[in-house]
Amino acid sequence: MKLKSLLTVGASVVLSSSIFSGYALAADLTGNITVWHSFTQGPRLEVIQEAANEFMKEHPKVKIKIETFSWNDFYTKWTTGFASGNVPDMSTALPNQVVEMINVGALLPINDLIDKIGRDKFSKAAISEGTVDRNNYSLPLYSHAQVMWIRKDLLKKHNLEVPKTWDELYHAAKVLTKDGVYGLSVPMGTNDFIATRFLNLYVRSGGGSLLTKDLKADLTSPLAQEGIKYWVKMYKETSPKDSINYDVLKQATLYYQGKTAFDFNSGFQIGGVKTNTPQLLGEIDAYPVPKIHANDPDRGLETANIPLVVWKTSKHPEISKAFIETLYQKDRYIKFLQSVPVGMLPAIKGISSDPAYANNPMIKQFSHAEKVIAEAVDKGTAIGYEHGPTVQGGLLTNQHIIEAMFQDIVANGTDPMVAAKKAEKQLNELFEMVAP
């Protein structure tokens, strides 16, 4: 069965500024395009709109309509709209969604666009995430990675070191769960994939994967079971109980507000703390995700290279490609990245050392955090992509079966192995539908 059928089932169950020329210099661009993106925060949304306004001014026969959706809403929007053709001309996407899009024939290859901008400017790993049969379907706009965020003041107050192992994190989180602060919130909401993220971090730190080499779900291995039990224990002892329904925003907001001592997220944490509790901005920092044993090797965990894609149904792909090019013009690109300093790391080589980027006060203040994140970016992959980009990796995050498994364990008292076998079976049945 093709993924189109699965999507129905799923819905029912739940540089210099002048080097980028090419298309943008075409004098005869004419037509209307729709752009979907998930940059819901004001500053970067404003940069994209500004870019569209300038593009339309330079090309008066072009109209660009921009629509904004949260990442979760975007997935629902494109999966339900694909059959009817209600999709945009170009959009952002999450890495795990791109292979699903490719699998149903939704995207247009953009090899020519990547070559025009300069293929060697991007990491091979980021380009490969959207590549099938030598056709490139996605172009990374920025990168980030999951790291551990701490509260320096709370650790100092209780004479605690930055945790290097999962056991150390547990003990530190237990100590810090007091006085209106939780050690670590454990999110399990079934409208997001954050419980999958937390489990993946544990399993990857031990050298495992949530997928076997033959791309079957692996939730019953000793390592996966150890990880499941670890997060259930943390939920019960260091987390607010309503985190059973948290999505990523609710989870992050607790850290933004100074109500959790630890969290796992990208550099977006900085902007959230600055907005919510600016007095704590000097007390946060990022460190590597813990290991099972302190002397375990450093391993790649979760990296996200957030891409742009052009949809096959677009009547004017040449306009979409031309507009995308302008987003990489150096001045605009740096302005976009600095709309969320350290939250979005450059996908273009050479930008991070450019004074216009590096001298940003927030980037300078959080140079340690940026270094930790950049090192994690270089080593990691999207969830489930340890064996290469796969539809199965996308389904791990987009179907929220692992989240339902965690809820079953903590709410119903189901044995972790029983719940894992059920979830594993559900996932493998879905995998069979798309890759029999």
Side-chain angles (χ1 to χ4, degrees):
M1 183 184 296
K2 288 293 186 181
L3 185 56
K4 185 188 296 185
S5 300
L6 174 59
L7 295 177
T8 303
V9 173
S12 67
V13 296
V14 178
L15 318 159
S16 74
S17 61
S18 63
I19 62 173
F20 304 114
S21 53
Y23 305 105
L25 296 182
D28 57 348
L29 289 177
T30 302
N32 302 338
I33 65 168
T34 297
V35 178
W36 288 359
H37 70 69
S38 296
F39 304 142
T40 54
Q41 296 96 336
R44 57 182 185 165
L45 183 155
E46 292 163 7
V47 173
I48 297 297
Q49 185 63 62
E50 179 183 276
N53 292 343
E54 291 179 6
F55 189 90
M56 289 186 287
K57 184 177 180 180
E58 294 175 5
H59 304 281
K61 296 180 181 179
V62 170
K63 298 296 181 185
I64 300 176
K65 179 182 179 182
I66 294 181
E67 299 180 359
T68 308
F69 305 96
S70 70
W71 291 112
N72 283 331
D73 288 344
F74 169 75
Y75 183 76
T76 301
K77 186 79 173 177
W78 88 257
T79 53
T80 56
F82 177 70
S84 63
N86 184 24
V87 291
D89 295 88
M90 59 167 281
S91 73
T92 56
L94 290 178
N96 295 83
Q97 297 170 0
V98 172
V99 176
E100 289 190 51
M101 295 171 176
I102 297 170
N103 194 56
V104 296
L107 302 181
L108 190 72
I110 52 174
N111 302 52
D112 56 339
L113 174 59
I114 294 173
D115 289 334
K116 277 183 175 292
I117 294 174
R119 186 173 294 271
D120 61 344
K121 292 178 171 58
F122 301 94
S123 76
K124 291 182 179 179
I127 294 295
S128 71
E129 289 182 352
T131 299
V132 174
D133 296 332
R134 298 186 179 181
N135 281 321
N136 311 129
Y137 294 92
S138 65
L139 179 64
L141 183 60
Y142 67 90
S143 301
H144 61 69
Q146 296 298 304
V147 293
M148 179 177 67
W149 288 87
I150 70 162
R151 281 278 301 278
K152 295 184 290 185
D153 56 329
L154 294 179
L155 290 177
K156 182 178 180 180
K157 179 180 178 180
H158 294 275
N159 297 313
L160 295 169
E161 298 293 327
V162 175
K164 295 182 180 180
T165 69
W166 293 110
D167 282 344
E168 289 174 1
L169 175 61
Y170 165 72
H171 291 295
K174 282 274 290 181
V175 170
L176 298 180
T177 301
K178 62 175 62 176
D179 302 326
V181 174
Y182 293 97
L184 174 64
S185 172
V186 182
M188 300 177 181
T190 54
N191 65 336
D192 217 328
F193 64 92
I194 311 305
T196 300
R197 166 175 289 161
F198 275 41
L199 180 58
N200 182 69
L201 291 175
Y202 190 100
V203 170
R204 292 294 297 134
S205 76
S209 170
L210 298 180
L211 291 176
T212 63
K213 290 183 178 179
D214 59 351
L215 302 181
K216 304 294 184 183
D218 189 6
L219 303 177
T220 55
S221 69
L223 181 57
Q225 281 290 296
E226 184 181 305
I228 292 168
K229 292 174 183 177
Y230 178 86
W231 288 121
V232 170
K233 177 176 70 173
M234 292 289 277
Y235 169 80
K236 291 179 177 178
E237 300 185 30
T238 73
S239 177
K241 296 303 170 274
D242 56 352
S243 71
I244 190 174
N245 292 313
Y246 279 6
D247 60 11
V248 66
L249 180 58
K250 289 183 179 179
Q251 168 74 9
T253 297
L254 280 186
Y255 187 82
Y256 298 165
Q257 296 175 342
K259 296 178 180 178
T260 47
F262 298 100
D263 195 16
F264 295 99
N265 210 318
S266 67
F268 277 79
Q269 298 289 72
I270 296 170
V273 172
K274 181 180 179 183
T275 299
N276 286 266
T277 53
Q279 69 274 18
L280 293 178
L281 203 57
E283 303 297 344
I284 68 170
D285 203 353
Y287 282 82
V289 172
K291 304 174 182 180
I292 294 176
H293 306 290
N295 59 352
D296 286 346
D298 294 331
R299 295 186 171 101
L301 304 179
E302 183 189 346
T303 292
N305 299 295
I306 305 301
L308 296 166
V309 297
V310 177
W311 292 75
K312 185 179 287 186
T313 55
S314 174
K315 295 180 180 179
H316 299 288
E318 73 283 357
I319 297 176
S320 296
K321 292 179 182 180
F323 179 54
I324 289 172
E325 274 194 275
T326 68
L327 299 179
Y328 290 93
Q329 291 175 353
K330 190 178 78 168
D331 291 347
R332 176 174 293 136
Y333 188 57
I334 289 176
K335 184 176 182 180
F336 174 71
L337 296 174
Q338 292 185 343
S339 67
V340 189
V342 187
M344 300 188 297
L345 300 189
I348 293 281
K349 296 175 183 177
I351 294 294
S352 60
S353 60
D354 190 294
Y357 173 85
N359 290 335
N360 177 278
M362 197 65 71
I363 291 175
K364 292 175 72 173
Q365 179 179 351
F366 286 93
S367 59
H368 174 262
E370 186 190 36
K371 182 175 183 290
V372 170
I373 297 168
E375 290 176 353
V377 165
D378 289 341
K379 297 174 184 175
T381 69
I383 295 174
Y385 278 27
E386 297 82 30
H387 310 300
T390 63
V391 176
Q392 289 88 341
L395 294 175
L396 276 175
T397 58
N398 296 326
Q399 297 301 310
H400 313 309
I401 290 172
I402 291 175
E403 283 68 31
M405 174 195 73
F406 273 106
Q407 289 189 350
D408 187 27
I409 294 170
V410 301
N412 302 323
T414 302
D415 180 81
M417 180 61 78
V418 173
K421 286 181 178 179
K422 178 182 176 182
E424 203 173 73
K425 182 175 183 291
Q426 288 178 292
L427 283 166
N428 286 330
E429 287 175 349
L430 292 177
F431 296 168
E432 282 293 317
M433 295 174 72
V434 298

